Amino acid sequence: MAIRFENIKEFIGSRVVWDDRADLFTPEAAAAIRAKVEERTVVVFPELNLTDDEQLQFTELMGERQRLTGRFNKQEVENDDVYQVTLDPKINPQPEYVLGTFFWHMDGITVDAPPPFATLLSCRIAPAAGMGGETEFASTYAAYEGLPEEEKQALEGMRAVHSVKASLSPIADAIPEKHRDKVLNIGLVKEHPLVWTHESGRKSMVIGTTADHIVGQEIPAGRAMLIRLQEWAAQPAYSLRHKWTEGDFVIWDNTGAMHRAIPYDKSTGRMMHRTSIAGTETVAA
Ligand SMILES: [Fe+2]
């Protein structure tokens, strides 16, 4: 095959190297990339400069394209399945959900469908150096595997309650009061096992700011444990920070990772085009 992968860090991240761009758009390449996403959590295509049509084609080669979500945005794209991640008020009049991505989370964990398998981001406008906007990823597979055996045992059977309200609680005070309740109460309140045993047999943790508390535990103790697990997964060994260059394309395994954006301001112009691959597995203990 005319594409190659290079590891970025020991437990997370691969970079794709290609000779001919066309070699990426084949079913064989898509299968190899999908397997690499599952194995390495994050796969980076430096300065690939995809068009929206190419990104959609790529998404469909790798799996089932998730139908979306342009509904909060006044999008400037042809196809509604491409979501523009931006703080530009002309496109995104409700910035709260993007501001909420400054905190560790998994996508699509509070809806009545399997969480998306992967999220795909194409960088259209990168913030200037020192202006934030990098994206960080933390492998919840590697983090689980690295836990001491007695901690793994302790997590077995635990369930957490997830909500958008919990994920926006760090910014709730900053949401204009007139629509705060509406913004906080979108989505469902969903219970998930803390440890996800995937069909592959590998285990990851379902954590992040959507996780509000642990079922059957006192709120302070459960919340403290959830935050401690976030910190564990975010340690440098299991996480990766990607500094965006315009044209970069990144795919990550949303079922085995948390992600967050380093805070940035709308003045940076940061613009990402996002597509998603539907999940095929519900979270199972
Ligand atoms: Fe996200």
Side-chain angles (χ1 to χ4, degrees), residues 101 105-111 114-116 118-119 252 254 257 259 274 276:
T101 68
H105 67 283
M106 296 166 67
D107 290 337
I109 216 77
T110 59
V111 296
T119 309
W252 72 94
N254 178 61
H259 61 284
R274 187 184 81 187
S276 299

Side-chain angles (χ1 to χ4, degrees), residues 41-272:
T41 306
V42 182
V43 173
V44 176
F45 303 72
E47 297 180 71
L48 179 58
N49 288 299
L50 289 178
T51 65
D52 284 342
D53 281 347
E54 286 176 328
Q55 184 168 344
L56 288 163
Q57 184 192 346
F58 205 87
T59 305
E60 287 191 330
L61 276 167
M62 283 186 59
E64 186 197 333
R65 183 210 300 182
Q66 186 113 4
R67 312 310 301 231
L68 285 182
T69 69
R71 58 188 180 273
F72 299 118
N73 275 2
K74 299 184 179 112
Q75 301 247 114
E76 287 178 339
V77 289
E78 301 242 317
N79 192 307
D80 246 6
D81 289 345
V82 176
Y83 179 73
Q84 292 185 291
V85 183
T86 175
L87 286 172
D88 179 348
K90 289 197 300 297
I91 297 171
N92 180 1
Q94 279 205 340
E96 288 81 16
Y97 301 108
V98 171
L99 297 172
T101 68
F102 293 174
F103 305 88
W104 288 116
H105 67 283
M106 296 166 67
D107 290 337
I109 216 77
T110 59
V111 296
D112 230 346
F117 161 60
T119 309
L120 305 85
L121 277 187
S122 211
C123 178
R124 297 309 184 92
I125 300 173
M131 298 302 286
E134 300 92 336
T135 302
E136 290 187 314
F137 307 93
S139 169
T140 54
Y141 278 123
Y144 176 80
E145 284 154 14
L147 280 173
E149 210 48 51
E150 63 271 20
E151 282 212 49
K152 288 183 189 167
Q153 300 278 330
L155 299 182
E156 283 302 318
M158 281 191 193
R159 297 175 69 78
V161 174
H162 295 254
S163 66
V164 168
K165 190 174 189 171
S167 73
L168 293 185
S169 67
I171 65 160
D173 295 348
I175 303 173
E177 207 174 336
K178 62 179 187 308
H179 63 271
R180 189 181 298 153
D181 275 356
K182 187 168 152 249
V183 169
L184 292 178
N185 286 303
I186 197 160
L188 303 174
V189 176
K190 291 278 286 181
E191 205 179 293
H192 294 295
L194 198 53
V195 178
W196 182 349
T197 306
H198 297 253
E199 284 168 12
S200 65
R202 258 183 113 187
K203 294 182 176 191
S204 66
M205 291 185 286
V206 181
I207 52 176
T209 48
T210 56
D212 185 60
H213 61 275
I214 302 286
V215 177
Q217 279 194 18
E218 297 292 339
I219 297 266
R223 226 167 246 172
M225 191 186 75
L226 287 164
I227 289 171
R228 206 163 43 76
L229 289 173
Q230 269 191 45
E231 290 168 350
W232 173 262
Q235 65 178 288
Y238 308 135
S239 66
L240 175 69
R241 178 183 288 201
H242 182 70
K243 167 131 190 60
W244 296 95
T245 297
E246 191 177 310
D248 285 353
F249 178 55
V250 171
I251 307 174
W252 72 94
D253 179 350
N254 178 61
T255 69
M258 305 185 291
H259 61 284
R260 68 178 177 186
I262 301 300
Y264 60 95
D265 191 77
K266 62 174 181 277
S267 67
T268 61
R270 186 185 192 268
M271 169 67 75
M272 300 286 168

